Amino acid sequence: MSESPVTYHKGDDPELVKAMERARETFAGFFNQVSLDFNRIVPALELACVKAPFSDTPEDPQAPVEQMWIDEVTFDGFDVIGKLLNHPNHLESVAAGDEVRVPLGRISDWILVQDGEVHGGHTIQVIRSRMGETELEAHDEAWGLAFEPPDTVLLPERNEDFEGVIASLIIDQIEKEPMAVHEVFDNGRTVLHLEALYGRTPCVEVLLRNGADPEARCDRGLTAREYAALLGWEEVVALLDEYGPGRE
């Protein structure tokens, strides 16, 4: 991608509002794919970005807003964190390369590219649908991506094979270091918290079978089950319920 355009649009545009809602609804699948790259030596994702609105005075609803993209994305269960990819056109409070933090409920889009295939881009497709042929060609050339037709938004499929590989690696690690299931990372989260947030059912099952504590709470006071629920990982939630209080 040679350039990620800064975009402006009316906040009450019905099509764009719906597209933003859809982007938030499908964020879990995006982050699941991003999290898999955490376990790869060579990243498989060619691009993984989130779009969000920025303003110099966010407390003022009438203040100018620029929709910009965030790269190097991670997610702590509440906020999307990463580096601002764009150079703002008018804003002075942020600059390209700044580390930024945006609540999940405020993101407006995400895009993910793997093997040249573009997933997401919900608002991008709405914007593309309103372009003439020449403008559309220029837009796509600026991105350097082969977008689907404007009426199509692809969602990433789960990579169950690789999730199984990660689960096997966890088993190997536990065999070498049995206490690894209790290791605590940033913000007081255990590996069970993290795998639950990523939505990786095989990994969560391996950890639970090997003594990981489903009642352990992070610095925010949340259990792994509550982390899984934040992104709607129903299968993970059900599995953690099986190992919850009252289990014989």
mmCIF file of all heavy atoms in Angstrom, residues 6 11 21 35 42 69 91 115 120 125 134 154 156 171 178 208 213 219 227 248:
data_model
loop_
_atom_site.group_PDB
_atom_site.id
_atom_site.type_symbol
_atom_site.label_atom_id
_atom_site.label_comp_id
_atom_site.label_asym_id
_atom_site.label_seq_id
_atom_site.Cartn_x
_atom_site.Cartn_y
_atom_site.Cartn_z
ATOM 1 N N VAL A 6 -6.553 9.525 4.272
ATOM 2 C CA VAL A 6 -7.388 10.078 5.331
ATOM 3 C C VAL A 6 -8.753 10.338 4.714
ATOM 4 O O VAL A 6 -8.844 10.836 3.590
ATOM 5 C CB VAL A 6 -6.796 11.400 5.865
ATOM 6 C CG1 VAL A 6 -7.713 12.013 6.915
ATOM 7 C CG2 VAL A 6 -5.410 11.162 6.440
ATOM 8 N N GLY A 11 -21.150 12.053 9.733
ATOM 9 C CA GLY A 11 -21.358 11.041 10.753
ATOM 10 C C GLY A 11 -22.735 10.426 10.737
ATOM 11 O O GLY A 11 -22.964 9.403 11.371
ATOM 12 N N GLU A 21 -20.971 -0.166 11.951
ATOM 13 C CA GLU A 21 -21.534 -1.130 12.898
ATOM 14 C C GLU A 21 -21.120 -2.543 12.525
ATOM 15 O O GLU A 21 -20.758 -3.357 13.395
ATOM 16 C CB GLU A 21 -23.062 -1.010 12.927
ATOM 17 C CG GLU A 21 -23.570 0.282 13.537
ATOM 18 C CD GLU A 21 -25.077 0.439 13.393
ATOM 19 O OE1 GLU A 21 -25.692 -0.390 12.673
ATOM 20 O OE2 GLU A 21 -25.631 1.385 13.982
ATOM 21 N N SER A 35 -4.037 -12.138 15.783
ATOM 22 C CA SER A 35 -3.383 -12.838 16.893
ATOM 23 C C SER A 35 -2.572 -14.042 16.418
ATOM 24 O O SER A 35 -1.580 -14.417 17.048
ATOM 25 C CB SER A 35 -4.419 -13.288 17.926
ATOM 26 O OG SER A 35 -5.175 -14.409 17.473
ATOM 27 N N VAL A 42 7.410 -15.717 10.619
ATOM 28 C CA VAL A 42 7.213 -14.870 9.441
ATOM 29 C C VAL A 42 5.729 -14.536 9.342
ATOM 30 O O VAL A 42 4.904 -15.438 9.167
ATOM 31 C CB VAL A 42 7.681 -15.580 8.148
ATOM 32 C CG1 VAL A 42 7.432 -14.691 6.946
ATOM 33 C CG2 VAL A 42 9.152 -15.965 8.253
ATOM 34 N N TRP A 69 -6.092 5.546 9.785
ATOM 35 C CA TRP A 69 -5.809 4.131 9.970
ATOM 36 C C TRP A 69 -4.715 3.877 11.000
ATOM 37 O O TRP A 69 -3.750 4.650 11.114
ATOM 38 C CB TRP A 69 -5.427 3.494 8.641
ATOM 39 C CG TRP A 69 -6.577 3.423 7.691
ATOM 40 C CD1 TRP A 69 -6.939 4.357 6.769
ATOM 41 C CD2 TRP A 69 -7.542 2.369 7.593
ATOM 42 N NE1 TRP A 69 -8.071 3.952 6.094
ATOM 43 C CE2 TRP A 69 -8.462 2.731 6.573
ATOM 44 C CE3 TRP A 69 -7.717 1.148 8.256
ATOM 45 C CZ2 TRP A 69 -9.535 1.924 6.213
ATOM 46 C CZ3 TRP A 69 -8.788 0.350 7.888
ATOM 47 C CH2 TRP A 69 -9.679 0.735 6.886
ATOM 48 N N LEU A 91 -5.327 17.968 11.759
ATOM 49 C CA LEU A 91 -5.199 17.783 13.207
ATOM 50 C C LEU A 91 -3.771 18.047 13.672
ATOM 51 O O LEU A 91 -2.800 17.755 12.965
ATOM 52 C CB LEU A 91 -5.619 16.367 13.600
ATOM 53 C CG LEU A 91 -7.048 15.942 13.234
ATOM 54 C CD1 LEU A 91 -7.338 14.560 13.772
ATOM 55 C CD2 LEU A 91 -8.070 16.943 13.748
ATOM 56 N N ASP A 115 -2.421 -13.226 1.294
ATOM 57 C CA ASP A 115 -2.291 -13.821 -0.042
ATOM 58 C C ASP A 115 -2.945 -12.945 -1.106
ATOM 59 O O ASP A 115 -3.558 -13.435 -2.068
ATOM 60 C CB ASP A 115 -2.908 -15.224 -0.076
ATOM 61 C CG ASP A 115 -2.193 -16.189 0.859
ATOM 62 O OD1 ASP A 115 -0.965 -16.046 1.045
ATOM 63 O OD2 ASP A 115 -2.859 -17.082 1.419
ATOM 64 N N GLY A 120 -12.615 -7.390 4.867
ATOM 65 C CA GLY A 120 -13.062 -6.196 5.576
ATOM 66 C C GLY A 120 -13.157 -5.007 4.641
ATOM 67 O O GLY A 120 -13.517 -5.128 3.474
ATOM 68 N N GLN A 125 -15.757 -0.023 1.001
ATOM 69 C CA GLN A 125 -16.611 -0.506 -0.083
ATOM 70 C C GLN A 125 -17.804 0.421 -0.317
ATOM 71 O O GLN A 125 -18.251 0.588 -1.459
ATOM 72 C CB GLN A 125 -17.084 -1.938 0.207
ATOM 73 C CG GLN A 125 -15.966 -2.973 0.175
ATOM 74 C CD GLN A 125 -15.361 -3.138 -1.206
ATOM 75 O OE1 GLN A 125 -14.847 -2.197 -1.803
ATOM 76 N NE2 GLN A 125 -15.435 -4.360 -1.732
ATOM 77 N N THR A 134 -12.972 6.283 -13.221
ATOM 78 C CA THR A 134 -11.645 6.892 -13.133
ATOM 79 C C THR A 134 -11.233 7.102 -11.681
ATOM 80 O O THR A 134 -10.097 6.806 -11.288
ATOM 81 C CB THR A 134 -11.620 8.244 -13.873
ATOM 82 O OG1 THR A 134 -11.953 8.037 -15.243
ATOM 83 C CG2 THR A 134 -10.241 8.885 -13.781
ATOM 84 N N LEU A 154 -15.457 -9.379 2.126
ATOM 85 C CA LEU A 154 -15.034 -10.707 2.560
ATOM 86 C C LEU A 154 -14.691 -10.699 4.047
ATOM 87 O O LEU A 154 -14.118 -9.727 4.555
ATOM 88 C CB LEU A 154 -13.804 -11.162 1.772
ATOM 89 C CG LEU A 154 -13.950 -11.299 0.254
ATOM 90 C CD1 LEU A 154 -12.632 -11.790 -0.348
ATOM 91 C CD2 LEU A 154 -15.085 -12.254 -0.102
ATOM 92 N N PRO A 156 -12.638 -13.007 7.045
ATOM 93 C CA PRO A 156 -11.624 -14.072 7.114
ATOM 94 C C PRO A 156 -12.187 -15.353 7.719
ATOM 95 O O PRO A 156 -13.039 -15.310 8.617
ATOM 96 C CB PRO A 156 -10.539 -13.469 8.013
ATOM 97 C CG PRO A 156 -11.254 -12.447 8.833
ATOM 98 C CD PRO A 156 -12.337 -11.899 7.968
ATOM 99 N N ILE A 171 1.163 -27.643 24.520
ATOM 100 C CA ILE A 171 1.352 -28.932 25.191
ATOM 101 C C ILE A 171 2.844 -29.209 25.380
ATOM 102 O O ILE A 171 3.289 -29.618 26.465
ATOM 103 C CB ILE A 171 0.689 -30.063 24.384
ATOM 104 C CG1 ILE A 171 -0.836 -29.921 24.406
ATOM 105 C CG2 ILE A 171 1.108 -31.431 24.936
ATOM 106 C CD1 ILE A 171 -1.552 -30.886 23.494
ATOM 107 N N PRO A 178 5.780 -27.311 33.528
ATOM 108 C CA PRO A 178 4.376 -27.446 33.948
ATOM 109 C C PRO A 178 3.770 -26.163 34.518
ATOM 110 O O PRO A 178 2.557 -25.939 34.387
ATOM 111 C CB PRO A 178 4.450 -28.543 35.017
ATOM 112 C CG PRO A 178 5.650 -29.344 34.653
ATOM 113 C CD PRO A 178 6.631 -28.358 34.119
ATOM 114 N N LEU A 208 -6.870 -25.649 30.131
ATOM 115 C CA LEU A 208 -7.767 -26.078 31.204
ATOM 116 C C LEU A 208 -7.474 -27.509 31.631
ATOM 117 O O LEU A 208 -7.474 -27.837 32.828
ATOM 118 C CB LEU A 208 -9.220 -25.940 30.759
ATOM 119 C CG LEU A 208 -9.726 -24.502 30.587
ATOM 120 C CD1 LEU A 208 -11.099 -24.492 29.927
ATOM 121 C CD2 LEU A 208 -9.783 -23.788 31.939
ATOM 122 N N ASP A 213 -6.101 -21.968 35.729
ATOM 123 C CA ASP A 213 -7.169 -21.562 36.641
ATOM 124 C C ASP A 213 -8.187 -20.678 35.923
ATOM 125 O O ASP A 213 -7.895 -19.523 35.597
ATOM 126 C CB ASP A 213 -6.557 -20.800 37.819
ATOM 127 C CG ASP A 213 -7.607 -20.377 38.848
ATOM 128 O OD1 ASP A 213 -8.790 -20.764 38.695
ATOM 129 O OD2 ASP A 213 -7.233 -19.655 39.794
ATOM 130 N N ASP A 219 -5.571 -7.743 36.316
ATOM 131 C CA ASP A 219 -5.555 -6.502 37.089
ATOM 132 C C ASP A 219 -6.876 -5.746 37.012
ATOM 133 O O ASP A 219 -7.182 -4.935 37.889
ATOM 134 C CB ASP A 219 -4.423 -5.594 36.591
ATOM 135 C CG ASP A 219 -3.043 -6.168 36.869
ATOM 136 O OD1 ASP A 219 -2.958 -7.166 37.620
ATOM 137 O OD2 ASP A 219 -2.054 -5.621 36.336
ATOM 138 N N TYR A 227 -13.165 -12.313 29.388
ATOM 139 C CA TYR A 227 -12.429 -11.856 28.198
ATOM 140 C C TYR A 227 -13.022 -12.470 26.932
ATOM 141 O O TYR A 227 -13.195 -11.786 25.921
ATOM 142 C CB TYR A 227 -10.945 -12.208 28.311
ATOM 143 C CG TYR A 227 -10.120 -11.100 28.918
ATOM 144 C CD1 TYR A 227 -9.760 -11.133 30.262
ATOM 145 C CD2 TYR A 227 -9.714 -10.013 28.158
ATOM 146 C CE1 TYR A 227 -9.017 -10.111 30.832
ATOM 147 C CE2 TYR A 227 -8.970 -8.982 28.713
ATOM 148 C CZ TYR A 227 -8.618 -9.044 30.048
ATOM 149 O OH TYR A 227 -7.887 -8.023 30.593
ATOM 150 N N GLU A 248 -17.141 -30.854 39.250
ATOM 151 C CA GLU A 248 -16.662 -31.962 40.076
ATOM 152 C C GLU A 248 -15.376 -32.527 39.509
ATOM 153 O O GLU A 248 -15.204 -32.603 38.317
ATOM 154 C CB GLU A 248 -17.736 -33.061 40.131
ATOM 155 C CG GLU A 248 -19.038 -32.594 40.811
ATOM 156 C CD GLU A 248 -20.050 -33.710 40.892
ATOM 157 O OE1 GLU A 248 -19.768 -34.828 40.400
ATOM 158 O OE2 GLU A 248 -21.122 -33.479 41.471
#
